[in-house]
Amino acid sequence: MLDARFIKENIDTVKNALKKRGYDFPLSEFLEIDEKRITLLKEVEELRNRRNIVTEEIGRLKKQKVDASAQLDDMKVVSDTIKALDEKLKDLEDETKAFLLTIPNIPHESVPTGKDETENVEIRKWGTPAVFDFEPLNHWDIAETLDIIDFDRASKIAGARFSLMKGAGARLERSLMNFMLDTNTAKGYTEVFPPVLVNRESMTATGQLPKFEADLFKISDPEFYLVPTAEVPVTNIHRDEILKEENLPLYYTAYTPCFRREAGSYGKDTRGLIRQHQFNKVELVKFVKPEDSYNELEKLTADAEDILMRLGLPYRVVSLCTGDIGFSSAKTYDLEVWLPGQNKYREISSCSNFGDFQARRANIRFKREGKKGTEFVHTLNGSSLAIGRTVVAILENYQQKDGSVLIPEVLRTYMGTDRIK
RNA sequence: GGAGAGGUGGCCGAGUAGGUCGAAGGCAGCCGCCUGCUAAGCGGUUGUGGGGGUUAAACCUCACCCAGGGUUCGAAUCCCUGCCUCUCCGCCA
């Protein structure tokens, strides 16, 4: 969420930023409503002030047993007026709030301008895609041969876009979880294991709601949303809190399953593990001081990259352009891992700095020592990594001519073997 | 699922026959004083958000005693709804 006052004072900046994103908002309409709101607010407050004064007087008069019926009658009218104006005011407040909640974040100046994913900019590459002396297979073919993922039975149990990991496949999934969490906690991230059903407020705080309801699984009676990423519950850990400066930055890492409707992706990645309704992910989340957030984004991205390096998986880092970054994000780096089965790089992690956008929605502030007042923190997060896609990458990059798959060094103690065959 | 109790400031904890309560008191924190140092003691001070105001302050004002409604000239205090916490019974991994 952007600050209403910031919008008012920087109308052109906001307009341009949103245009770069491909959004066109009736900002002047917003300003009009907001101005009405302020005018009405002043009016109501003045009436309240008067009521407070007279009401006090009535108290005094009554105590002295003096007749106060004139004041009483007066205030009855004033109170009715306040009530009426309050209703109007609430409408205007709701309107401005609803408006603010649907305006995306302003991209950072370093974000490349572009209309869609074709204009994202490659920042760096790591590793060299292996050269195979045979035709590399897709991960689902490898998995079928090794009997470690059962897609047919998964669709019997649940439906399309679900998977049943089995034997070494299930173990690989679990090994990756543990490897990632262990690596992250060794770097100072605090491990948390949060709820994966959350309330509406939490989804609104991180920006999934109100705009992207269609992407979410929801249950009713009682109402809960299934988290599409650990970002949601972990960022909400500190919702409505005032943090101490000395405690910043805060680093968290969390494993959670993630649930996504994948509405509108019919026909895309229908086979295999790439796009599932339920997948596992280890996430990194940071709460930092505003002046540190872009440096922290680089460090967070490096921490996510480190997982890929340790696994020996070739990847590249892409800076998403203004037309492709997410709604809440001010800047995003995607990590794309090399997939021999598809002969291309595919997203495996997304690392973002949200600036104060989520913090304002979630009301997460901090207090500087010796300064009065509070400021919003900056929030960041990134996957380290999406586990399903990491399984895909390992199967495809480490496949051998005989159909077996080598296990990356760092996973062998977790897997209890150096090869799946 | 059934039966009860409760939600007040950073924390503890007063305050319910409605009025001068943003809220006693204590603790913690901050600033002074005192003291050889520390402790104790003494005095003062310390919430958040909005609107206005100022170069910036000061300052003025509105709101906030879980949340949302209601009654009333006036609500932390009364009524309703919701959320959360706790205790007992039942059920359950």
Side-chain angles (χ1 to χ4, degrees):
Chain A
M1 187 163 68
L2 302 180
D3 182 27
R5 193 180 271 211
F6 175 84
I7 297 177
K8 273 184 272 182
E9 288 165 6
N10 302 276
I11 189 78
D12 288 332
T13 314
V14 175
K15 217 168 223 171
N16 288 335
L18 296 185
K19 187 166 259 174
K20 279 190 198 168
R21 266 183 175 270
Y23 279 75
D24 188 21
F25 269 98
L27 282 175
S28 54
E29 192 181 308
F30 167 76
L31 293 179
E32 224 173 274
I33 294 168
D34 197 59
E35 198 164 318
K36 264 195 225 163
R37 198 194 102 230
I38 302 284
T39 311
L40 195 56
L41 181 67
K42 283 186 205 165
E43 206 176 321
V44 173
E45 286 193 350
E46 223 166 282
L47 286 174
R48 279 224 178 85
N49 181 224
R50 207 178 124 210
R51 185 177 68 182
N52 286 345
I53 292 166
V54 177
T55 261
E56 223 174 275
E57 195 189 327
I58 291 172
R60 240 181 292 122
L61 292 176
K62 285 218 161 176
K63 206 163 246 176
Q64 295 164 11
K65 311 251 197 256
V66 179
D67 176 63
S69 52
Q71 285 88 337
L72 245 59
D73 289 346
D74 265 8
M75 286 311 100
K76 200 171 177 65
V77 175
V78 170
S79 272
D80 286 346
T81 313
I82 290 174
K83 199 172 278 184
L85 292 183
D86 252 345
E87 253 168 69
K88 274 196 214 163
L89 185 62
K90 184 154 190 311
D91 286 348
L92 289 173
E93 273 168 359
D94 289 349
E95 223 174 309
T96 49
K97 184 85 197 262
F99 215 112
L100 289 172
L101 282 175
T102 57
I103 299 177
N105 202 357
I106 294 179
H108 187 248
E109 61 202 16
S110 64
V111 173
T113 302
K115 61 179 187 316
D116 56 34
E117 68 275 6
T118 60
E119 297 188 67
N120 293 340
V121 174
E122 181 179 301
I123 302 292
R124 58 184 168 270
K125 260 185 182 156
W126 183 90
T128 316
V131 179
F132 295 89
D133 56 359
F134 58 96
E135 188 62 34
L137 299 173
N138 272 309
H139 69 278
W140 57 82
D141 288 329
I142 300 168
E144 190 179 6
T145 308
L146 294 172
D147 193 24
I148 57 173
I149 308 176
D150 189 335
F151 291 103
D152 293 338
R153 288 197 174 98
S155 82
K156 172 172 70 182
I157 298 165
R161 295 204 190 285
F162 287 91
S163 57
L164 171 64
M165 309 298 281
K166 187 178 165 192
R171 177 103 184 216
L172 182 55
E173 192 87 7
R174 173 162 62 91
S175 299
L176 284 167
M177 238 168 84
N178 286 331
F179 161 66
M180 290 175 194
L181 287 171
D182 288 347
T183 307
N184 296 339
T185 51
K187 289 174 186 162
Y189 290 85
T190 301
E191 182 175 349
V192 289
F193 189 55
V196 295
L197 296 183
V198 302
N199 55 34
R200 191 155 229 289
E201 291 72 49
S202 291
M203 284 293 186
T204 306
T206 38
Q208 279 73 21
L209 290 178
K211 279 204 81 174
F212 306 102
E213 181 121 29
D215 298 338
L216 300 170
F217 282 111
K218 178 186 183 178
I219 63 168
S220 48
D221 196 28
E223 181 182 281
F224 284 113
Y225 291 88
L226 280 71
V227 300
T229 159
E231 158 192 352
V232 177
V234 178
T235 304
N236 274 280
I237 287 174
H238 294 298
R239 172 149 58 87
D240 291 321
E241 288 184 19
I242 299 174
L243 305 171
K244 287 190 187 143
E245 181 179 21
E246 68 207 60
N247 292 336
L248 296 176
L250 286 167
Y251 291 1
Y252 292 100
T253 185
Y255 153 76
T256 66
C258 302
F259 304 92
R260 300 188 182 176
R261 290 275 290 275
E262 296 300 342
S265 66
Y266 308 110
K268 259 189 232 166
D269 302 306
T270 49
R271 296 200 67 185
L273 280 182
I274 293 285
R275 197 176 296 273
Q276 302 273 289
H277 284 312
Q278 174 189 336
F279 63 97
N280 294 315
K281 182 156 63 72
V282 171
E283 189 78 1
L284 303 170
V285 176
K286 291 184 173 185
F287 300 82
V288 309
K289 291 199 261 180
E291 62 270 29
D292 300 331
S293 70
Y294 283 94
N295 186 34
E296 291 284 0
L297 175 63
E298 298 303 320
K299 282 165 60 187
L300 182 135
T301 307
D303 288 337
E305 286 177 62
D306 184 47
I307 303 286
L308 284 164
M309 288 191 236
R310 290 183 195 224
L311 291 171
L313 295 169
Y315 69 89
R316 62 175 191 158
V317 182
V318 170
S319 183
L320 299 192
C321 73
T322 51
D324 199 31
I325 57 171
F327 176 79
S328 302
S329 172
K331 180 169 186 171
T332 298
Y333 291 119
D334 271 7
L335 306 188
E336 298 181 343
V337 69
W338 176 252
L339 296 185
Q342 300 195 4
N343 203 39
K344 61 180 168 195
Y345 287 98
R346 289 300 302 262
E347 177 186 343
I348 194 166
S349 168
S350 196
C351 302
S352 302
N353 181 6
F354 301 92
D356 63 8
F357 188 85
Q358 291 181 328
R360 184 171 284 111
R361 287 171 162 248
N363 194 27
I364 307 171
R365 295 167 290 166
F366 76 104
K367 202 176 174 64
R368 287 193 203 267
E369 279 165 61
K371 279 191 94 177
K372 64 175 184 179
T374 57
E375 289 174 53
F376 290 113
V377 300
H378 280 194
T379 59
L380 302 91
N381 67 57
S383 4
S384 90
L385 309 158
I387 291 175
R389 291 190 180 182
T390 308
V391 169
V392 171
I394 289 172
L395 294 181
E396 294 192 6
N397 281 281
Y398 284 92
Q399 60 181 303
Q400 307 298 307
K401 197 170 191 171
D402 64 2
S404 69
V405 171
L406 277 180
I407 296 300
E409 284 281 343
V410 292
L411 288 182
R412 289 182 185 172
T413 50
Y414 293 96
M415 284 296 289
T417 179
D418 61 358
R419 186 184 293 264
I420 303 173
K421 53 185 180 221

